[in-house]
Amino acid sequence: MSEPDQNAAADPSVEAEPKPAPRTAEVAAYLAARMCHDFISPASAIVSGLDLLDDPSAQDMREDAMNLIAGSARKLADLLSFTRVAFGASATAETFDARELAKLAQGVFAHMRAEMDWQVEAPSLNKPTARAILNLAQMAGAALPTGGTAKIRAVQEGATVVIAVEAIGPRARLRSEVLAGLRGEAMGEGLHGHWVQAYYVHLFLTDAGGRIFADVGEEKVTFAASIPA
């Protein structure tokens, strides 16, 4: 190691160079891994239920097996429908009915401990806004691991849609990698699945000319976004 490098390593006042933003291929890989992680649990539960039905020694558990299969199938279908809009292109749709978005979000919250309070005034939302509100809703639910209420609000003010999402409940928290992703920072220490969703929100909102903020308080996490209508 050269002398300048030694001094830099020894001097805590010398800041390390920030990591470069990940490439498109890396983001796509992380998103794919995130979605597979979400899908694998209910898919595996369905297989487990089918195995119970096929097991001659477990015929007394047929009702439990059927309940497991039915509940897991609903969860998988809800996640797939949600993901198609929140992460995908959703065919050629450019605007989305707010009532349909509420159903997609509620489908995800049906499998969370938190409850959702949907207060979206606009009857329809453009694609970036629809993606933002679904992702922020899911992130708010994840910020309430022991339960609480995620309040989802969106209003149009002139040529801008303003989104406010509040996660309120005991032990409300936001992972550091989520905050980093929303700021457009590269992945540091932590879980890629949490970071990539936030980073993806930052990317498409920035491309749409929007902005995203997050704040963490006592038993409350707040997301705020503004997007051209």
Side-chain angles (χ1 to χ4, degrees):
M1 179 182 290
S2 65
E3 186 174 346
D5 288 336
Q6 290 177 334
N7 292 337
D11 186 355
S13 65
V14 178
E15 296 184 0
E17 292 185 5
K19 293 183 179 180
R23 297 173 300 172
T24 302
E26 291 177 303
V27 174
Y30 289 144
L31 278 176
R34 160 63 190 256
M35 288 183 280
C36 288
H37 177 272
D38 289 347
F39 300 153
I40 193 64
S41 176
S44 297
I46 292 171
V47 173
S48 296
L50 292 172
D51 287 342
L52 280 175
L53 291 179
D54 289 338
D55 186 350
S57 65
Q59 293 307 299
D60 58 331
M61 299 181 65
R62 287 186 63 85
E63 184 176 351
D64 292 337
M66 290 302 299
N67 289 335
L68 176 62
I69 293 170
S72 300
R74 281 193 295 270
K75 181 177 181 179
L76 183 57
D78 287 337
L79 286 172
L80 286 168
S81 297
F82 176 90
T83 300
R84 181 171 175 263
V85 177
F87 294 102
S90 186
T92 59
E94 293 298 330
T95 60
F96 297 84
D97 189 314
R99 293 170 299 181
E100 293 301 317
L101 296 175
K103 291 179 182 178
L104 293 175
Q106 187 56 58
V108 171
F109 273 83
H111 310 287
M112 290 182 167
R113 292 187 177 181
E115 297 181 353
M116 184 184 74
D117 180 9
W118 185 271
Q119 301 177 16
V120 177
E121 297 180 4
S124 63
L125 301 172
N126 62 23
K127 184 180 290 186
T129 306
R131 284 178 175 172
I133 203 166
L134 289 182
N135 277 280
L136 293 179
Q138 187 180 41
M139 290 160 63
L144 298 169
T146 62
T149 301
K151 297 183 178 180
I152 320 296
R153 290 174 289 174
V155 296
Q156 185 166 341
E157 299 178 353
T160 303
V161 177
V162 178
I163 299 174
V165 177
E166 295 178 322
I168 304 170
R171 297 181 64 186
R173 61 188 177 89
L174 195 64
R175 294 177 179 271
S176 59
E177 54 264 44
V178 174
L179 287 169
L182 290 176
R183 290 193 293 258
E185 297 174 2
M187 177 65 192
E189 298 295 327
L191 300 174
H192 287 92
H194 295 284
W195 169 83
V196 74
Q197 181 177 26
Y199 186 71
Y200 174 68
V201 172
H202 163 80
L203 286 180
F204 70 70
L205 283 184
T206 300
D207 289 346
R211 303 175 69 185
I212 176 71
F213 307 92
D215 180 69
V216 181
E218 185 176 354
E219 298 190 348
K220 183 178 180 180
V221 174
T222 303
F223 302 100
S226 59
I227 312 164

